[in-house]
Every structure is written in structure tokens, then in C-alpha cells.
Amino acid sequence: MTELGGTGRPPLGEKPTLKTIARATGLAVATVSRALADAPDLRADTKALVRRVAEEMGYVPNRAGLRLRTGRTQVIALVMSAEHDMMNNTARLISSLAGALRGTSFHLNVSYYFPGEDPMKPIRHIVEMGLADGVIFNQTRPEDHRVAWLMERHFPFATHGRTQWSESHAWADFDNQAFGAIAVRRLARAGRRRVAVVAPPLDQNYAQNIVAGVIRAGAETGVEVRIVSEASSDSPTASIREAVAQALSLGIDGLVVCSTNAAMAGVAAIEDRGMRLGEGIDLVAKEAIPFLSLFRREIIAIREDVGRAGDVLARAAIRAIREPGAAPLQDLEVPQDDDQ
């Protein structure tokens, strides 16, 4: 085997190729190619060697050539809304997906759609232009036309969130119905009797799960539950603040919110009225990054492990690409009521 730093390196200014990696490792070009493609029948140490040498050389695969040779791009596309909560769930999801794909042959590309645009648009573009081998997306709806379209075309995908077809496709999700129920029960144990909920947009599957959970727990505990209709957890901060202020004027003593931005807006509305958390009113929030208790220690924060979801989604997408006939990988994180 030729040592790196010796004749195995490409001449200065020359772009490294599969052949130069093969010379440096003493392996056949075909073996190098298969190692970079993460061939399952190759030894792990062989793949690790090839990847290390390729990284040290600065090897960048020719995606166009790869696509011509194999029909694959070695790309997984993450498709998201541009208006999503970048300081919390979205940022954590991107980070965890990128980390989960590290050490594999796949690269992560992120595509966005903007408010008012059809979320199907980037999915169709990626599939029809052959820009990725699989896609991951979130903010699913019960009858999500993206899921139906991809299933019809047998194109590999995984969703952050479930749909009515969840038995047939890969997904990772948080049990939002359990979250909603836990939130209301926590408020009930704190003596709160009139609770407002700032839910996500109600056309989304996880929003409907949250609403089902809070309504069920409200009936069980005798707590009056009101779903705020003037704003959602995805609304601008000013809109959430105004909607919470209106709910406060109606005499609520508990608040459930579903994003970090909504929690901060809710606290601002509460403090605008001269009230303090824990003194006549409590707030329960869901968060992906431990932050809210640093902002106000009185916030009752329930953690959603988006890092776990990202890891599952990366593995689920790879399985859907490589093993189209295998059972789809699925994972449900169920929050625990730690205050009981």
C-alpha cells in the first residue's frame, strides 16, 4: 500500500479521482468505488480506510458521472417550510440529520418552500429532475398529497410526522396527543381550571393530535380548555402575543404552547398584564433544545428529542433507498409525565 504523502497523492493541482485513491490504498478502483457507495458486503475497516483517504485528498465525487453510472446521486433531500421555527426544532433536525449521515455515502441537501407556495413543488422538482435518491419532510397532514404522490411513484422518503398512511411508509414522530394530555394534567395539578392552547396550524397532523390530547385530559380533569383561533404556534410573535393577551382578558389561568417562539410571546403577554408565572397562571411548553427554563425557570417545559427523530429519519431514508422491499423504519417518542 502506498503511504499518503508519497506517490499516492495526486500531483499538485490535479483533482483526486477514484484511481488516485486506489493507488494510495492499494485497492482496486472498483473496490474504492463500492466503498464510497457504502456497499454492505465490504468490510467496515476497508470502507473506513477509503473514506479517510478520500477526505484527506479532498476527493469530491462527480455527481453527474455517478448518476450516469449508477442512476444514484448519493443525496438525501430535506424539504422544509422557510417559515418554520429555525431557533428550535428545525435547526436541531438539520443538525441531527447531518450528523446521522456523517460516515455514510450520503450527503444532505436542504430545500425550502415559502409561505403561500405549494409544499408539493420542491418534492416534484427533486424527483422529476433526479436531484436526490430520497427525501425527508415534515409538517405532515393526515391526507398528505406529498406522501400519496411519492408512494404512487415508489420514490424513497421518510416523514417527520405521521399520516393516515403511516403503516405503509417510514416516519419518526413525537406523541403529541400524549404531550397535550400531560400539559393539561400538569396544569390541573397546579390548580389551573381555565386553559388556553396555542396549537400548530390545525390542518397538520400533529396539531390535531395535540388538540385531541388536551380535550381528552380536560374532560378527565374538569379543566376548561379553549383552543386559540386567532393565532397558531407558527404565527408571527406579535400575533401570538396579541392572541394570548385576548385569552388572558377572558380569565384563563393556564396556557399550553407548542414552540419556543410561542412560549416567549406568551410570557411577554402575561408580563404585559403585570402577572408572573407561577402566581395565578402557569405555562406549559414543548421544546427541542433546553432553553425555556433558562428564559423563565417557572415555565413547565416538556422535551421533544428532535435529535432522536433526525437519527431515525436518516436511517429510515437510507433503508428506503437501499432496501425498497423492507419494512419501513418507524419510531414514536412518547413523553413521560415526570411530575407524577
Side-chain angles (χ1 to χ4, degrees):
M1 181 184 298
T2 304
E3 293 292 332
L4 285 179
T7 58
R9 281 194 180 276
L12 187 64
E14 181 180 314
K15 183 178 178 180
T17 65
L18 296 178
K19 289 182 179 180
T20 51
I21 298 172
R23 286 200 301 268
T25 58
L27 299 169
V29 172
T31 302
V32 169
S33 177
R34 294 176 64 246
L36 291 173
D38 200 21
D41 58 329
L42 282 183
R43 288 172 41 174
D45 58 347
T46 299
K47 291 188 280 190
L49 170 66
V50 171
R51 287 174 187 155
R52 177 179 63 80
V53 172
E55 184 174 349
E56 291 176 359
M57 285 186 171
Y59 171 76
V60 178
N62 183 326
R63 299 285 172 197
L66 178 66
R67 182 178 168 190
L68 285 173
R69 291 194 308 273
T70 68
R72 294 283 181 85
T73 63
Q74 298 296 334
V75 169
I76 293 175
L78 173 63
V79 180
M80 314 193 77
S81 167
E83 65 180 350
H84 212 50
D85 182 6
M86 284 302 296
M87 70 176 293
N88 200 350
N89 287 51
T90 301
R92 184 72 183 97
L93 182 63
I94 293 172
S95 173
S96 60
L97 279 168
L101 292 176
R102 186 178 183 183
T104 75
S105 60
F106 290 92
H107 295 260
L108 182 69
N109 283 353
V110 182
S111 297
Y112 294 97
Y113 58 92
F114 293 89
E117 286 187 343
D118 182 359
M120 186 70 227
K121 180 180 177 182
I123 300 285
R124 183 180 292 110
H125 178 71
I126 289 165
V127 174
E128 293 181 348
M129 297 300 293
L131 302 179
D133 298 331
V135 294
I136 297 169
F137 54 94
N138 63 356
Q139 295 185 320
T140 55
R141 299 176 181 180
E143 295 185 15
D144 199 300
H145 61 293
R146 296 170 296 180
V147 169
W149 191 84
L150 289 165
M151 289 176 63
E152 182 180 336
R153 284 156 182 78
H154 303 287
F155 191 87
F157 71 96
T159 62
H160 189 199
R162 287 167 287 174
T163 70
Q164 71 171 24
W165 303 293
S166 292
E167 292 185 2
S168 302
H169 68 82
W171 52 265
D173 202 1
F174 181 76
D175 192 336
N176 286 285
Q177 187 167 152
F179 160 74
I182 290 169
V184 170
R185 291 178 191 135
R186 292 284 295 271
L187 292 171
R189 290 198 293 273
R192 307 309 173 201
R193 310 311 298 166
R194 302 186 69 194
V195 172
V197 181
V198 181
L202 294 178
D203 63 339
Q204 294 179 24
N205 195 69
Y206 82 113
Q208 295 177 23
N209 289 336
I210 290 170
V211 170
V214 298
I215 289 175
R216 185 186 76 214
E220 293 171 354
T221 59
V223 170
E224 179 185 337
V225 174
R226 173 180 178 268
I227 310 301
V228 171
S229 59
E230 296 81 9
S232 77
S233 58
D234 286 357
S235 297
T237 301
S239 299
I240 298 172
R241 189 170 179 173
E242 183 178 343
V244 172
Q246 183 175 342
L248 290 167
S249 70
L250 298 175
I252 67 163
D253 57 8
L255 184 64
V256 178
V257 297
C258 305
S259 73
T260 300
N261 284 346
M264 296 173 71
V267 170
I270 289 167
E271 295 180 350
D272 282 346
R273 292 179 64 88
M275 304 170 70
R276 290 178 57 86
L277 288 177
E279 298 177 7
I281 190 165
D282 283 294
L283 183 152
V284 180
K286 182 172 66 165
E287 64 176 356
I289 300 172
F291 168 80
L292 290 174
S293 60
L294 301 177
F295 170 61
R296 292 290 186 276
R297 62 183 178 83
E298 299 85 2
I299 292 176
I300 303 169
I302 297 176
R303 177 84 186 278
E304 176 180 0
D305 190 353
V306 178
R308 164 177 164 170
D311 178 73
V312 170
L313 289 170
R315 291 187 288 113
I318 291 174
R319 178 188 290 187
I321 292 166
R322 291 181 173 162
E323 304 174 63
L329 185 60
Q330 301 167 345
D331 180 71
L332 180 65
E333 179 192 357
V334 182
Q336 302 301 311
D337 190 351
D338 297 328
D339 193 47
Q340 284 188 321

